[in-house]
């Protein structure tokens, strides 16, 4: 016993020790790795992936060749070449830094799956099994895992329960409970069983496990460009091509005016006019969005999922576990007239013996506390709880049928109507008005009474819904409770709408209805019955603890299995969109200022009237060009922290957001270059005159 405790403590302390050492060396390691990859990305097969920076890299080569051929002074030509080279390098570095963070996470994930072995068995009672390499496992194989062993593959527990350490995947050292026959039956290969024995059915092919997909995602090898990113990339390419046409035409215009334009000056003009800043940062912004999701312990199957989350305007939320703590416990028995408390408790216990839900277990526990003896009946047929019927029960050997469940389901079973039972109606309304859930118990055609299930609304959830409302997002609570209970909880939690007495198909119908109205819908789920709705939703957030079907259907998986994470996912998505929009605005605004720096420098010697455009009163043509290029190069690394961290997000309407971005990044993007280029000019003008 002591040995196992020590093992658990050792496991729990490892991550923190590793984290400390990683933090001490990460800055140096990542920087070095990023600079190395920045140079590798200069190779043609890599640089061509970013058309804007490919043009800058081509311009660098042209300026170097032009300098060697004597088209400009050696010092000036080499300075321009060097600045352009640095511009490309900084853009590559921005992307490489974002990728380096992912590679660091991937290496720790690889360690989690190394040298795994499995004990394959024929059935859950097989005590021996065959020891094989985990790589030889196939879909639907049964494996036995005991305390102290690593789970060799993704799957679902079909027998037993155990506490599991998932620190290798989630970073959280606190053990979690996983149990067969519940919505918390999913396990991940590479995690460690701390207690008991479980039988797991393999649910993933070799090479397609959860860890494999995580590694591919964080390394960026599976990063798909989002629709917005693709659209912006096309826009930047079109702008670049347009400016190339404009710049290429200038020598012909100059020839007509008897002005010879230096090719180095043309390259400088082109580089300053094309959107180099956002072109250099765009890949980093996309990768950083994925990394922010991963930092929140959310695995997105693609960058598209993160971005779509930012556009979501309807959230479908389960009541249990999301809005409330989900730990509904039986707190009272209310027998109807002519029924003793003991009769009601006995009937409630019998219906709960085959009910694996926490609610069912709490009914048995409360009855025992109140002195009720629990005896398993002989030759009885148990009716397990079902989400569709919302009933559990038992068929006794003497022919009696006892059921427990939702009001409407029990009334249907007993062939009764609520109008004929004023006492039952009053009891149900009494329980529901408190925000508790009433369960009705019936024996054959007779209604026996009501069980009160109490749950507690999570702290701070009302404020979160208010925050979502500020963003223009509608929240819909889905619950199997009766309308009275649902209305009470919805009012207390502050949701916009609710669906009561909901069945699995009701979620699906609700999602379709909202989508038909033009809305983007997000929902969270963990059970197999949630899979159709998760697949239908624009954003389906599946719980890591949930079934394999749910995880496959969703386009995001929450490693912490926290249903409220959906709220954080929406904010991450919005931050991604805001960051890209803000930096694009800033980049395009910069071009206006750089235009006034470069253009007069090109023609002022031949056309003195062009000096009117020299509003910054820069020292010379060479100084103007170098100042603009230096600013153009330096702004990229200065913006890397913003691209990686994201622009700070505040709940607001689209109009407010646009106004704020235009003021800060639009107006600021125009004014900053004027100031910066002037300062740089004042610094380098004396050096150029030497």
């Amino acid at each position: 016993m002591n040995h196992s405790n020590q093992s658990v403590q050792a496991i729990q302390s490892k991550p923190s020790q590793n984290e400390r050492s990683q933090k001490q060396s990460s800055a140096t390691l990542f920087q070095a790795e990023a600079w190395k990859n920045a140079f590798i990305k200069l190779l043609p097969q890599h640089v061509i992936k970013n058309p804007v920076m490919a043009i800058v890299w081509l311009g660098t080569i042209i300026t170097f060749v032009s300098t060697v051929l004597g088209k400009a002074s050696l010092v000036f030509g080499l300075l321009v070449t060097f600045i352009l080279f640095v511009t490309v390098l900084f853009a590559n570095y921005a992307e490489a830094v974002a990728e380096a963070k992912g590679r660091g996470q991937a290496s720790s994930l690889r360690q989690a799956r190394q040298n795994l072995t499995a004990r394959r068995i024929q059935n859950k009672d097989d005590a021996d099994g065959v020891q094989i390499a985990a790589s030889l496992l196939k879909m639907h194989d049964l494996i036995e895992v005991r305390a102290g062993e690593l789970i060799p593959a993704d799957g679902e527990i079909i027998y037993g329960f155990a506490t599991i350490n998932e620190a290798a995947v989630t970073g959280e050292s606190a053990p979690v409970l996983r149990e067969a026959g519940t919505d918390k039956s999913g396990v991940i290969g590479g995690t460690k069983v701390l207690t008991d024995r479980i039988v797991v059915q393999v649910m993933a092919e070799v090479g397609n496990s959860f860890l494999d997909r995580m590694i591919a995602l964080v390394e960026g090898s599976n990063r798909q460009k989002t629709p917005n990113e693709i659209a912006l990339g096309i826009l930047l390419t079109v702008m670049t091509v347009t400016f190339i046409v404009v710049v290429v035409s200038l020598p012909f215009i100059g020839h007509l005016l008897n002005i010879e334009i230096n090719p180095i000056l043309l390259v400088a003009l082109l580089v300053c006019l094309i959107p180099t800043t956002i072109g250099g940062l765009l890949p980093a912004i996309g990768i950083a969005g994925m990394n922010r999701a991963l930092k929140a312990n959310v695995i997105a199957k693609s960058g598209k999922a993160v971005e779509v989350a930012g556009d979501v305007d309807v959230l479908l939320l389960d009541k249990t576990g999301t809005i409330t703590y989900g730990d509904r416990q039986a707190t009272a028995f209310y027998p109807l007239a002519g029924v003793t408390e003991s009769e009601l408790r006995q009937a409630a216990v019998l219906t709960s013996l085959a009910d694996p839900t926490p609610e069912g277990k709490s009914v048995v526990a409360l009855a025992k506390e109140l002195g009720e003896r629990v005896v398993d009946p002989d030759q009885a047929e148990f009716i397990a709880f079902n989400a569709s019927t919302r009933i559990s029960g038992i068929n006794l050997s003497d022919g009696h049928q006892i059921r427990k469940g939702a009001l409407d389901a029990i009334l249907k079973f007993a062939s009764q109507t609520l109008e004929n039972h004023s006492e039952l109606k009053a009891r149900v309304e009494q329980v529901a008005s408190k925000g508790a859930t009433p369960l009705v118990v019936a024996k054959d055609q007779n209604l026996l009474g009501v069980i009160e299930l109490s749950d507690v609304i999570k702290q701070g959830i009302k404020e979160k819904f208010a925050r979502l409302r500020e963003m223009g997002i509608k929240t819909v609570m889905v619950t199997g409770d009766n309308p009275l209970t649902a209305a009470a909880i919805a009012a207390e939690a502050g949701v916009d709408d609710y669906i009561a007495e909901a069945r699995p198909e009701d979620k699906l119908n609700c999602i379709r209805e909202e989508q038909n109205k033009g809305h983007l819908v997000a929902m969270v789920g963990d059970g197999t019955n949630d899979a159709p709705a998760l697949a239908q939703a624009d954003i389906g957030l599946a719980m890591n603890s949930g079934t394999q079907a749910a995880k496959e259907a969703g386009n995001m998986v929450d490693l912490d299995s926290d249903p409220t994470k959906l709220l954080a996912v929406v904010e991450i998505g919005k931050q991604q969109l805001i960051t890209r929009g803000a930096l694009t605005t800033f980049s395009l605004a910069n071009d206006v200022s750089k235009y006034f720096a470069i253009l007069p420098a090109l023609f002022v010697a031949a056309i003195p009237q062009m000096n009117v455009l020299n509003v910054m009163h820069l020292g010379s043509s060479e100084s103007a060009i170098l100042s603009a290029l230096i600013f153009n190069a330096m702004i990229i690394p200065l913006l890397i922290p913003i691209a990686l961290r994201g622009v700070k997000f505040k709940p607001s309407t689209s109009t407010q957001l646009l106004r704020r971005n235009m003021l800060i990044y639009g107006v600021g993007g125009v004014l900053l270059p004027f100031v910066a280029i002037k300062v740089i000019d004042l610094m380098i003008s004396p050096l150029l005159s030497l």
Side-chain angles (χ1 to χ4, degrees), residues 211-283:
L211 280 177
D212 288 317
R213 282 183 287 175
M214 277 184 72
I215 290 166
L217 283 166
V218 299
E219 284 188 323
S221 57
N222 269 13
R223 193 182 84 85
Q224 300 172 341
K225 288 186 177 180
T226 67
N228 282 348
E229 191 177 348
I230 293 169
L232 183 56
I234 293 169
L235 174 64
L236 298 182
T237 303
V238 170
M239 288 177 65
T240 302
V241 171
T242 304
F243 283 123
I244 289 172
V245 172
V246 170
V247 171
V248 169
S249 67
L250 286 177
F252 299 100
I253 297 169
H255 181 71
L256 294 174
L257 299 171
N258 295 318
I259 303 170
E260 187 179 348
I261 302 176
N262 194 312
I264 293 178
L265 298 183
L266 289 174
V267 170
L269 176 65
L270 178 62
V271 169
C272 285
L273 289 182
I274 64 176
T276 50
T277 305
I278 188 61
L281 293 173
L282 194 57

Side-chain angles (χ1 to χ4, degrees), residues 163-225:
T163 52
I164 296 171
N165 184 288
E166 296 182 343
V169 177
T170 67
E172 177 56 60
S173 58
V176 293
L177 182 67
R178 297 286 179 261
E179 186 175 0
T182 68
D183 287 338
K184 296 189 183 297
S185 61
V187 291
I188 300 172
T191 57
K192 190 165 189 173
V193 174
L194 301 180
T195 63
D196 302 289
R197 167 188 179 267
I198 53 174
V199 175
V200 177
Q201 185 174 39
V202 177
M203 299 300 288
E205 297 281 3
V206 175
N208 196 35
S209 70
F210 195 73
L211 280 177
D212 288 317
R213 282 183 287 175
M214 277 184 72
I215 290 166
L217 283 166
V218 299
E219 284 188 323
S221 57
N222 269 13
R223 193 182 84 85
Q224 300 172 341
K225 288 186 177 180

Side-chain angles (χ1 to χ4, degrees), residues 18-46:
N18 292 339
E19 283 168 10
R20 280 196 296 270
S21 62
Q22 284 173 6
K23 281 178 183 176
Q24 290 169 357
S25 62
S26 63
T28 309
L29 288 175
F30 284 162
Q31 297 292 329
E33 185 186 355
W35 280 118
K36 175 186 161 187
N37 288 324
F39 280 95
I40 292 171
K41 289 178 184 291
L42 293 172
L43 296 172
Q45 64 266 35
H46 296 297

Side-chain angles (χ1 to χ4, degrees), residues 10 33 68 172 190 203 252 319 322 347 387 421 425 437 472 525 537 540 545 557 597 620 628 651 654 659 680:
E33 185 186 355
V68 172
E172 177 56 60
M203 299 300 288
F252 299 100
K319 183 203 76 173
T322 307
H421 291 277
K425 185 179 179 181
T437 302
S545 62
V557 178
S620 65
S654 300
R659 191 185 299 121
I680 296 169

